[in-house]
Amino acid sequence: MARIAGVDLPRNKKIEYALPYIYGIGLTFSRKILESTGIDPAIRVNELTEAQILAIRNELSENYSIEGELRGQVSRNIKRLMDINCYRGIRHKKRMPVRGQRTHTNARTRKGRAKPPVKKK
Protein backbone atom coordinates (compact mmCIF):
# COMPACT_ATOMS: atom_id res chain seq x y z
CA MET A 1 0.00 0.00 0.00
CA ALA A 2 1.40 3.37 -1.01
CA ARG A 3 1.26 6.12 1.60
CA ILE A 4 1.67 9.56 0.09
CA ALA A 5 1.17 12.83 2.02
CA GLY A 6 -0.28 10.92 4.97
CA VAL A 7 -2.98 9.25 2.87
CA ASP A 8 -3.17 5.53 2.17
CA LEU A 9 -3.97 5.10 -1.50
CA PRO A 10 -6.28 2.20 -2.45
CA ARG A 11 -4.20 -0.75 -3.63
CA ASN A 12 -6.08 -2.03 -6.65
CA LYS A 13 -6.94 1.26 -8.33
CA LYS A 14 -4.95 2.75 -11.17
CA ILE A 15 -2.60 5.43 -9.88
CA GLU A 16 -4.34 8.04 -12.04
CA TYR A 17 -7.58 7.52 -10.07
CA ALA A 18 -5.93 6.86 -6.71
CA LEU A 19 -4.04 10.18 -6.45
CA PRO A 20 -7.28 12.24 -6.16
CA TYR A 21 -7.81 10.61 -2.74
CA ILE A 22 -5.31 13.23 -1.56
CA TYR A 23 -6.97 16.53 -0.61
CA GLY A 24 -6.10 19.17 -3.20
CA ILE A 25 -5.45 16.81 -6.10
CA GLY A 26 -8.08 16.20 -8.73
CA LEU A 27 -7.99 14.15 -11.89
CA THR A 28 -6.33 16.92 -13.93
CA PHE A 29 -3.53 17.45 -11.39
CA SER A 30 -3.15 13.69 -11.09
CA ARG A 31 -2.53 13.38 -14.82
CA LYS A 32 -0.06 16.30 -14.79
CA ILE A 33 1.87 14.76 -11.89
CA LEU A 34 2.14 11.39 -13.64
CA GLU A 35 3.18 13.06 -16.90
CA SER A 36 5.92 15.09 -15.21
CA THR A 37 7.26 12.07 -13.29
CA GLY A 38 7.05 9.78 -16.31
CA ILE A 39 4.84 7.17 -14.67
CA ASP A 40 2.30 5.21 -16.71
CA PRO A 41 -1.24 6.25 -15.60
CA ALA A 42 -2.54 2.71 -16.19
CA ILE A 43 -0.25 1.12 -13.57
CA ARG A 44 -1.91 -0.05 -10.34
CA VAL A 45 -0.91 1.35 -6.95
CA ASN A 46 0.32 -2.04 -5.70
CA GLU A 47 2.62 -2.32 -8.73
CA LEU A 48 4.46 0.94 -8.03
CA THR A 49 8.14 0.71 -7.18
CA GLU A 50 9.71 2.65 -4.30
CA ALA A 51 11.46 4.91 -6.81
CA GLN A 52 8.14 5.81 -8.45
CA ILE A 53 6.50 6.53 -5.09
CA LEU A 54 9.46 8.71 -4.15
CA ALA A 55 9.20 10.58 -7.47
CA ILE A 56 5.50 11.30 -6.84
CA ARG A 57 6.24 12.47 -3.27
CA ASN A 58 8.99 14.80 -4.48
CA GLU A 59 6.77 16.24 -7.22
CA LEU A 60 3.97 16.91 -4.72
CA SER A 61 6.22 18.52 -2.13
CA GLU A 62 7.94 20.79 -4.65
CA ASN A 63 5.03 21.98 -6.81
CA TYR A 64 1.72 21.51 -4.97
CA SER A 65 0.17 22.55 -1.68
CA ILE A 66 -1.92 19.63 -0.43
CA GLU A 67 -3.63 18.17 2.65
CA GLY A 68 -3.05 20.10 5.90
CA GLU A 69 -1.23 23.03 4.31
CA LEU A 70 -4.04 23.57 1.78
CA ARG A 71 -6.79 23.16 4.39
CA GLY A 72 -5.10 25.81 6.53
CA GLN A 73 -4.78 28.12 3.54
CA VAL A 74 -8.48 27.78 2.72
CA SER A 75 -9.56 28.41 6.31
CA ARG A 76 -7.28 31.47 6.54
CA ASN A 77 -8.82 32.84 3.33
CA ILE A 78 -12.34 32.39 4.73
CA LYS A 79 -11.32 33.98 8.05
CA ARG A 80 -9.84 36.96 6.16
CA LEU A 81 -13.12 37.46 4.30
CA MET A 82 -15.01 37.36 7.59
CA ASP A 83 -12.61 39.82 9.24
CA ILE A 84 -12.92 42.45 6.52
CA ASN A 85 -16.72 42.12 6.53
CA CYS A 86 -17.08 41.76 2.80
CA TYR A 87 -20.31 40.27 1.39
CA ARG A 88 -18.87 36.77 1.12
CA GLY A 89 -17.48 37.01 4.64
CA ILE A 90 -20.86 38.04 6.03
CA ARG A 91 -22.49 35.07 4.26
CA HIS A 92 -19.91 32.76 5.84
CA LYS A 93 -20.60 34.25 9.29
CA LYS A 94 -24.35 33.74 8.90
CA ARG A 95 -23.77 30.20 7.61
CA MET A 96 -25.69 30.88 4.42
CA PRO A 97 -24.86 30.07 0.79
CA VAL A 98 -21.93 32.17 -0.39
CA ARG A 99 -22.10 31.88 -4.17
CA GLY A 100 -25.44 33.44 -5.04
CA GLN A 101 -27.77 30.48 -4.56
CA ARG A 102 -31.38 31.11 -3.60
CA THR A 103 -32.34 30.73 0.05
CA HIS A 104 -36.13 31.17 0.04
CA THR A 105 -36.41 27.48 -0.67
CA ASN A 106 -33.57 24.94 -0.71
CA ALA A 107 -30.19 25.76 0.95
CA ARG A 108 -30.96 23.17 3.64
CA THR A 109 -27.42 21.83 3.66
CA ARG A 110 -26.06 25.23 4.64
CA LYS A 111 -28.94 26.51 6.81
CA GLY A 112 -29.71 23.30 8.71
CA ARG A 113 -33.02 21.59 9.43
CA ALA A 114 -36.20 23.55 8.78
CA LYS A 115 -37.61 24.95 12.00
CA PRO A 116 -41.22 23.98 12.65
CA PRO A 117 -43.80 26.78 12.50
CA VAL A 118 -44.91 28.32 15.77
CA LYS A 119 -47.85 26.50 17.39
CA LYS A 120 -51.17 28.30 17.39
CA LYS A 121 -53.11 28.27 20.66
Side-chain angles (χ1 to χ4, degrees), residues 73-91:
Q73 218 173 19
V74 169
S75 65
R76 282 192 303 276
N77 288 342
I78 291 171
K79 186 176 178 341
R80 179 183 55 83
L81 291 172
M82 289 165 54
D83 289 343
I84 63 174
N85 277 330
C86 68
Y87 181 78
R88 280 173 55 204
I90 292 168
R91 301 297 282 186

Side-chain angles (χ1 to χ4, degrees), residues 20-70:
Y21 278 67
I22 301 170
Y23 182 82
I25 296 179
L27 198 54
T28 305
F29 275 163
S30 173
R31 289 176 179 152
K32 285 181 183 177
I33 291 164
L34 294 174
E35 185 180 318
S36 65
T37 55
I39 298 171
D40 179 28
I43 196 169
R44 304 271 173 183
V45 173
N46 57 2
E47 298 169 357
L48 287 173
T49 63
E50 285 299 319
Q52 290 172 326
I53 293 173
L54 191 61
I56 292 172
R57 281 190 191 136
N58 291 339
E59 179 70 21
L60 289 176
S61 63
E62 291 170 8
N63 300 324
Y64 298 93
S65 60
I66 52 173
E67 283 297 323
E69 180 186 343
L70 182 60

Side-chain angles (χ1 to χ4, degrees), residues 10-20 41-45:
R11 291 177 182 212
N12 295 325
K13 286 194 181 241
K14 293 181 180 178
I15 187 67
E16 178 180 21
Y17 299 109
L19 281 177
I43 196 169
R44 304 271 173 183
V45 173

